[in-house]
Amino acid sequence: MSAEHARLRALSARWWQGPLTVPATPLDRRRLLHETWLVLGVSLGASAIWSALSILKRLADNRPLNQQASQLNVSRAAQSWLDLAYQLTDIALALVPVLLALHLLHREIDSPARFLGLDRRRPSSDLRWGLGLTAVIGVPGLALYLIARSAGLNTQVVAADLGQHWWSLPVLVLSAWQNAVLEEVIMIGYLFTRWTQAGWRLPQVLVVSALIRGSYHLYQGFGGFVGNVVMGLIMGAVYLRTRRVMPLVIAHALLDTIAFVGYALLRDHVSWL
């Protein structure tokens, strides 16, 4: 082994804190993998399939991608109270796969939320990591979006279109947290645990998870795909370093809150949005 190879292995061991320790399970490799595909199939994996169809539809359109729009957080009903009911129901039902994943892990783990680091044991550390991730991902992510859009590789992302209601901004914040909990618990905490139990190596787990994350953002365009693959790699690496999902949830929620609320407040005042 060369000295450089040994140095890289030592650096990797310090960063990853060694192998990801997971509990023993009576499930064999095939059943573990089937379970993960089923969980993905009722959550973000299904979103990835719809997203792939969406980008194909967009590419078949005569207009370039940067002249098309991807709308998030849209109004669902003309009546304010009914629209609010729709928004809150969407948010609540989107969290059911998270409860399913925790329920499945509970067969081998007494407290799966604690095992994944989805608790309040380390608030200061979680907040520091979360704020750091927000800074590391946020500014480059915005720059990538603008570059990809100007190059015709991304749609215009309309991050919020709920209208002027007293509940619009609170619902956008709730939506941001729902996205964060759903994506980080499923894509990082649950999948990293199950795929490690199935015998996958950590680099394989990290890359496949990041690619799936990118794929369910394809509806935005190729910039959204690349940006979210990079985000997935960073989030996964931090999880392997901290062994906690909470910092990832905090960072993701802050990023989405800034995007959703910022768009709602600035869309009529900033031309490049």
Side-chain angles (χ1 to χ4, degrees), residues 30-209:
R30 186 179 69 172
R31 292 179 65 190
L32 285 168
L33 293 178
H34 284 173
E35 180 189 293
T36 60
W37 301 132
L38 289 171
V39 170
L40 285 171
V42 297
S43 59
L44 296 165
S47 298
I49 294 171
W50 289 116
S51 195
L53 291 173
S54 176
I55 192 65
L56 290 175
K57 181 180 179 181
R58 292 185 184 282
L59 293 174
D61 195 305
N62 292 327
R63 296 172 299 162
L65 286 177
N66 58 4
Q67 293 181 19
Q68 302 180 46
S70 300
Q71 293 183 306
L72 311 177
N73 300 300
V74 296
S75 180
R76 301 287 299 277
Q79 298 85 356
S80 176
W81 67 269
L82 186 56
D83 196 0
L84 175 60
Y86 265 105
Q87 302 300 331
L88 294 178
T89 301
D90 278 347
I91 291 169
L93 292 180
L95 292 174
V96 172
V98 174
L99 299 178
L100 173 62
L102 295 175
H103 172 76
L104 293 171
L105 290 175
H106 189 55
R107 290 177 294 179
E108 299 112 35
I109 305 170
D110 288 338
S111 178
R114 183 181 179 89
F115 174 78
L116 299 179
L118 188 68
D119 57 22
R120 295 179 293 177
R121 281 180 297 158
R122 304 176 188 173
S124 298
S125 175
D126 290 343
L127 184 59
R128 286 196 301 271
W129 275 103
L131 292 174
L133 278 169
T134 303
V136 167
I137 296 172
V139 175
L142 177 59
L144 176 62
Y145 164 70
L146 294 174
I147 292 170
R149 184 177 158 193
S150 66
L153 297 174
N154 216 81
T155 63
Q156 176 189 3
V157 178
V158 180
D161 192 15
L162 292 179
Q164 301 296 322
H165 304 288
W166 65 266
W167 47 262
S168 295
L169 295 185
V171 163
L172 291 175
V173 174
L174 287 176
S175 179
W177 279 94
Q178 171 256 298
N179 288 343
V181 172
L182 173 64
E183 294 189 39
E184 304 313 327
V185 172
I186 298 291
M187 298 309 304
I188 301 294
Y190 169 75
L191 290 181
F192 275 47
T193 300
R194 281 304 197 217
W195 284 344
T196 301
Q197 288 176 319
W200 285 20
R201 295 173 179 266
L202 286 182
Q204 181 184 9
V205 172
L206 181 63
V207 170
V208 174
S209 173

